[in-house]
């Protein structure tokens, strides 16, 4: 693959200066107009050691408006990052819509290096590269534009560069690093080629750039960036293509929940504190083992999610457990992919986080209320499954609850809420409106549960008509899930 | 002081239940209405070991709407926090306006314990307590409401509690901790009394609560919270009292800047790369020593801030330096004290952050354009001085630049920007409008520079009419500041 960029291409100073006069103006104008683009531009700078990536960045920095730019080098993983899933740091670095991010190495450099060292099996490398491509596709579906650069140095130039360094330094860290890369030239080229092939897809193309000549590589990269920006700007306001309507006939999983299940008061009184103590011990054990737990609660309004969550939190040391209630996204959150705000709150290793509603809002309320277009929510099933796989793979214990009640029980509880002064805050007009759309919500719920009940993150359907039964069942399920993994 | 809360107060179950019926409704109603309050409610839970703070929290959690509540225990300082100024974690934990935060121990518990152990000198303890009070005052000025609880246990009850623990556990960590607190009873009481006295001020009052009887302490705390919430809610919409107009006749510091200073092209060509290399070495040295550097740039539009910043960034390893350009605050930022968004971006130890405009916007553009009321911006001088003291005390090297030009030079540059296609993005109608208010900006600048040029963070006034001179001077100043501290 890299033969194509060993052509000895060179650019003279005159050519360069002439091209620049035009390009710098187009660049800054396109960047200014791009501020209105409904997605970020992510420029990935990758390539051989010494190929001039940093130099290029400095040069571009001199031409561009630094105000909407993020530059990330990812060269050091800090403690907080080590305690989170691998992609967390990349999520947290993503630029806002209309902004530009320059990512050095991004999610590639480390993986390619490990592969070049022979530390990653062929299958594992392929899996990780596919995951990178999936990540990019997901962001691209949400509007992100990608430019992925690979700066290639011929063996000859690579050799010459290290010779120059040797003369300059004689010894030292920089030289050692360069020598290592020179020795591993073939292995690095091989790993990079394979990685590039596995991750070159229509939503995020690689651009191979011959990097031996500084003016050539600078001009080439500049042209690609300018043209990408201009193309994006030209498409602002164009109608997004809408996927065809999907037909979904989900099995009626909710109707199979046995709502007649109950627990006796005596049993409840006895077992609740027992289970809470068990959960508390598990919480400490998880803390010691640095395993996080995420419990997700979805279900009908008034199904008893809130009171079940209270039983969990009350039973657990306040230092170890916290609750996140999902409200409307803030403007910072809206300026990112919808999963961003959930990545944002991923707990550090060892803690319990309970979600009162969650990322499933995308395929439930946002679907039914049409806040998300069909092509948006329908692709979210895969995105959510991927997201949860990231969580569980990083060692997080994920427990998902759907608390189910029937319409009659809901009506009873709504009325009770209206009558008890300290419960009135829980009932709003919106609850009554949602109730009228019961069938649509049920259909959405059935499809959601069917599509997102995966091996690594199955749904637990909880019969909620009897609150005592539901609470015991939830605590029991949560304890079991934790015991299994600890 | 604590004798006042050793009265043996008790509440019977009947009294408790009766009071609760009324209070729980008022609590939830007041909490719901508080969502519109223009500041957060911060409830600090402090007190003797075993006084039931966690128990109270669990109880309150059962009565309140958990959705607008943050509970923070601050029991563990993570790596990220250790690499930031002491108050960073508290800033980052602050609830939004209209939300409620329960802070266990908050900025007190650790300090009081150290004082009780005799690890803090009397003067140092006083200084830290004063700093806590200043922090609270500042937030209160911005709308925050405080309730600070100290739960007091009599020596007798404290003794009984540990005896009970001894019977229950025989040995172990919890018992050891309790025994330690029992032995140190007098020292803890003494440190707490002093700390409370030093930090009890009208904007954030302490409430001492006799904690021997569970129902008494619960009811007491509940009442105080309900009444505080109700008082806050009652004041929503009330006109804020505006401080009297301040008269400020700042000395004309800017007019003393010698704008005739220039640098020759040859000198510039030679010294710029030298200085950049020097800065780069210093950046690496600072990285090794884990010392952060913050460079702040303020000055007239077109004064050359941006191009000076480019010279800094270009000269420094891209992994070590980053630029933050201050734009309009996001809604998450607006939901906090205006300094929150600057605390948010404080670099981890070892890195350089360059601010293109900064927290000084509060006393410059926000003042002149009347985005901030006079009582808001006028108190910001002290707030900013405090903020910068936090930074420098934590080891951050802070360098502040005011880049000065005269009106004539600005006009020349504005016109040049309009004529060069790749500079047009830099000139907007707003720049022309600001220019018309030159005198008001100059007055604000003179006052700002005078009031915020402190021993720990002096201003560097840079003559900017000659760009070459300004850039060399800035790089030189920055290198010197770093050399001095490294």
């Amino acid at each position: 693959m890299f033969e194509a960029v060993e052509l000895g291409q060179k650019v003279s100073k005159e050519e360069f200066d002439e091209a620049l006069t035009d390009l710098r103006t187009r660049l800054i104008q396109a960047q200014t107009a791009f501020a209105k683009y409904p997605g970020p531009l992510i420029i990935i700078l990758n390539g051989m050691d010494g190929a001039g990536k940093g130099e290029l960045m400095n040069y571009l920095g001199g031409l561009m408006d630094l105000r909407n730019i993020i530059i990330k080098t990812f060269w050091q993983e800090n403690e907080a990052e080590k305690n989170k899933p691998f992609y967390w740091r990349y999520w947290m670095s993503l630029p806002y819509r209309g902004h530009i991010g320059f990512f050095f190495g991004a999610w590639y450099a480390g993986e390619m290096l490990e592969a070049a060292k022979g530390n990653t099996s062929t299958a594992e490398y392929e899996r990780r590269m596919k995951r990178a491509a999936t990540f990019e596709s997901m962001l691209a579906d949400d509007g992100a534009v990608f430019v992925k650069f690979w700066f290639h140095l011929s063996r000859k130039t690579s050799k010459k560069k290290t010779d120059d360094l040797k003369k300059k330094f004689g010894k030292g860290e920089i030289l050692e690093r360069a020598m290592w890369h020179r020795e591993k030239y073939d292995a690095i080229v091989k790993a990079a080629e394979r990685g590039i092939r596995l991750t070159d897809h229509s939503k995020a193309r690689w651009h191979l750039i011959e990097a031996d000549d500084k003016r050539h590589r600078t001009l080439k990269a500049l042209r690609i960036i300018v043209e990408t920006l201009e193309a994006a700007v030209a498409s602002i306001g164009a109608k997004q293509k809408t996927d065809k309507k999907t037909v979904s006939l989900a099995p009626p999983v909710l109707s199979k929940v046995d709502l007649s299940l109950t627990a006796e008061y005596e049993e409840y009184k006895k077992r609740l504190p027992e289970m809470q103590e068990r959960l508390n011990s598990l919480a400490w054990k998880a803390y010691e083992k640095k395993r996080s737990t995420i419990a997700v609660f979805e279900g009908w309004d008034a199904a008893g999610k809130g009171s079940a969550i209270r039983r969990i939190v009350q039973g657990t040391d306040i230092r170890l457990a916290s609750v996140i209630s999902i409200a409307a996204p803030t403007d910072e959150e809206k300026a990112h992919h919808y999963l961003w705000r959930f990545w944002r709150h991923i707990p550090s290793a060892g803690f319990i986080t309970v979600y009162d509603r969650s990322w499933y809002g995308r395929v439930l309320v946002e679907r039914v209320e049409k806040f998300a277009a069909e092509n948006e929510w329908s692709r979210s099933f895969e995105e959510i499954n991927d997201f949860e796989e990231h969580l569980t793979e990083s060692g997080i214990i994920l427990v998902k609850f759907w608390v189910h009640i029937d319409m009659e029980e809901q009506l009873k509880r709504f009325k009770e809420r209206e009558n008890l002064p300290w419960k009135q805050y829980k009932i709003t007009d919106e609850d009554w409106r949602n109730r009228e759309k019961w069938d649509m919500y049920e259909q959405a719920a059935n499809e959601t549960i069917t599509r997102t009940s995966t091996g690594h993150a199955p749904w637990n359907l909880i019969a909620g008509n009897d609150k005592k039964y539901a609470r015991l069942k939830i605590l029991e399920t949560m304890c079991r899930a934790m015991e299994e993994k600890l």
Side-chain angles (χ1 to χ4, degrees), chain A residues 427-439:
Chain A
I427 178 95
T428 63
D429 291 349
E430 209 185 312
D431 295 323
W432 288 106
R433 277 198 301 275
N434 291 346
R435 183 175 159 80
E436 280 166 29
K437 298 179 186 159
W438 184 284
D439 287 346

Side-chain angles (χ1 to χ4, degrees), chain A residues 34-294:
Chain A
F34 186 75
K36 295 219 157 45
Y37 191 78
L41 169 62
I42 297 165
I43 298 171
I44 293 177
L45 300 166
N46 238 317
M48 315 291 290
D49 195 52
K53 301 179 289 287
E55 216 171 33
L56 174 71
M57 185 69 250
N58 268 339
Y59 190 77
L60 289 172
L63 302 179
M64 298 178 81
D65 180 359
L66 289 177
R67 281 172 295 183
N68 291 347
I69 288 179
I70 308 176
I71 300 168
K72 289 280 170 184
T73 51
F74 304 111
W75 67 302
Q76 272 201 330
E77 199 178 26
N78 65 33
E79 277 305 311
E81 289 164 351
K82 277 182 205 148
N83 283 326
K84 309 265 186 178
F86 180 72
Y87 272 83
W88 184 75
R89 61 196 304 219
Y90 304 116
W91 272 97
M92 291 304 99
S93 305
L94 292 175
Y96 292 134
R97 303 182 196 283
H99 287 214
I100 299 174
F102 286 92
F103 286 8
F104 281 73
W107 32 91
Y108 290 109
E111 301 289 11
M112 286 178 174
L113 215 60
E114 288 304 303
K117 286 179 184 169
N119 293 342
T120 319
S121 74
T122 309
E124 179 61 18
Y125 187 49
E126 184 165 332
R127 202 182 68 87
R128 293 192 193 168
M129 289 296 109
K130 282 292 166 206
R131 169 162 286 188
T134 305
F135 177 57
E136 292 164 351
S137 285
M138 182 190 57
L139 296 176
D141 284 339
D142 185 52
V145 179
F146 283 91
V147 173
K148 302 191 287 190
F149 286 121
W150 180 270
F151 292 92
H152 180 70
L153 279 186
S154 65
R155 188 192 308 269
K156 206 178 117 193
T157 312
S158 178
K159 192 164 169 305
K160 191 180 168 307
K161 291 228 171 199
T162 42
D163 286 343
D164 290 350
L165 279 178
K166 213 186 278 180
K167 268 181 228 151
K168 190 176 170 195
F169 292 112
K171 59 175 182 175
E173 209 182 312
I174 295 175
L175 180 64
E176 268 170 45
R177 184 189 142 95
M179 288 305 291
W180 185 89
H181 277 261
R182 172 178 166 167
E183 276 157 36
K184 292 275 180 191
Y185 185 90
D186 288 330
I188 291 169
V189 162
K190 201 178 148 213
E193 270 208 14
R194 185 141 183 273
I196 288 170
R197 208 152 25 78
L198 288 165
T199 56
D200 190 35
H201 53 110
S202 64
K203 291 170 184 171
R205 284 266 173 247
W206 280 99
H207 299 273
L208 306 191
I209 293 190
E210 183 168 11
D212 294 28
D213 179 65
K214 182 175 163 182
R215 283 190 292 264
H216 169 74
R217 68 175 184 247
T218 306
L219 207 55
K220 186 93 183 178
L222 187 54
R223 278 219 174 91
I224 291 168
I225 292 172
V226 168
E227 282 169 18
T228 306
L229 275 169
E230 287 176 343
V233 166
S235 76
I236 291 177
K239 215 177 156 301
Q240 277 212 302
K241 111 175 181 301
T242 313
D243 296 353
K244 64 177 187 305
K245 288 260 171 190
T246 46
V247 179
S248 61
L249 282 172
V253 279
L254 283 183
S255 67
K256 303 295 177 204
V257 176
D258 181 0
L259 289 175
S260 70
L261 292 164
T262 57
E264 292 306 314
Y265 182 72
E266 287 308 314
E267 187 200 352
Y268 177 72
K269 261 299 188 211
K270 184 173 160 289
R271 289 192 60 212
L272 184 72
E274 284 172 12
M275 219 100 81
Q276 286 178 327
E277 212 170 305
R278 184 167 147 207
L279 183 62
N280 193 38
S281 310
L282 286 163
W284 278 108
K285 196 168 167 192
Y287 173 73
E288 277 152 27
K289 294 198 169 185
K290 291 204 142 211
R291 292 289 296 269
S292 290
T293 306
I294 292 180

Side-chain angles (χ1 to χ4, degrees), chain A residues 216-417:
Chain A
H216 169 74
R217 68 175 184 247
T218 306
L219 207 55
K220 186 93 183 178
L222 187 54
R223 278 219 174 91
I224 291 168
I225 292 172
V226 168
E227 282 169 18
T228 306
L229 275 169
E230 287 176 343
V233 166
S235 76
I236 291 177
K239 215 177 156 301
Q240 277 212 302
K241 111 175 181 301
T242 313
D243 296 353
K244 64 177 187 305
K245 288 260 171 190
T246 46
V247 179
S248 61
L249 282 172
V253 279
L254 283 183
S255 67
K256 303 295 177 204
V257 176
D258 181 0
L259 289 175
S260 70
L261 292 164
T262 57
E264 292 306 314
Y265 182 72
E266 287 308 314
E267 187 200 352
Y268 177 72
K269 261 299 188 211
K270 184 173 160 289
R271 289 192 60 212
L272 184 72
E274 284 172 12
M275 219 100 81
Q276 286 178 327
E277 212 170 305
R278 184 167 147 207
L279 183 62
N280 193 38
S281 310
L282 286 163
W284 278 108
K285 196 168 167 192
Y287 173 73
E288 277 152 27
K289 294 198 169 185
K290 291 204 142 211
R291 292 289 296 269
S292 290
T293 306
I294 292 180
V296 170
F297 282 84
E298 292 286 352
W300 302 101
D301 290 329
K305 298 184 295 296
S307 62
I309 290 171
R310 286 211 170 89
R311 298 311 179 287
I312 290 175
V313 178
Q314 281 177 0
T316 317
D317 195 300
I318 209 151
R319 288 170 292 187
L320 299 182
S322 61
V323 180
I324 294 182
S325 301
I326 296 306
T330 67
D331 61 359
E332 289 186 36
E333 289 168 344
K334 277 186 222 149
H336 286 103
H337 188 279
Y338 83 95
L339 280 175
W340 185 80
R341 63 193 184 118
F342 302 105
W343 276 94
R344 199 179 180 187
H345 291 298
I346 286 175
S348 275
F351 294 87
I352 296 177
T353 313
V354 183
Y355 277 85
D356 186 355
R357 303 214 181 269
S358 67
W359 42 92
Y360 283 99
R362 184 72 164 187
V363 285
L364 296 167
V365 58
E366 290 190 39
R367 168 185 180 170
V368 174
E369 305 296 340
K370 298 195 175 15
F371 299 150
E374 173 146 1
N375 63 340
E376 287 173 332
W377 62 256
S378 67
R379 68 172 177 255
S380 300
F381 294 119
E382 296 95 272
E383 292 174 353
I384 287 173
N385 286 339
D386 279 345
F387 172 54
E388 294 180 350
E389 200 180 348
H390 278 279
L391 298 181
T392 52
E393 275 192 14
S394 79
I396 290 172
I397 302 165
L398 179 60
V399 201
K400 302 191 294 194
F401 295 105
W402 183 280
V403 190
H404 186 51
I405 52 173
D406 56 28
M407 277 193 86
E408 205 180 329
E409 180 64 25
Q410 191 190 49
L411 185 64
K412 206 182 100 199
R413 293 188 188 176
F414 275 13
K415 286 189 173 160
E416 186 194 276
R417 286 181 174 189

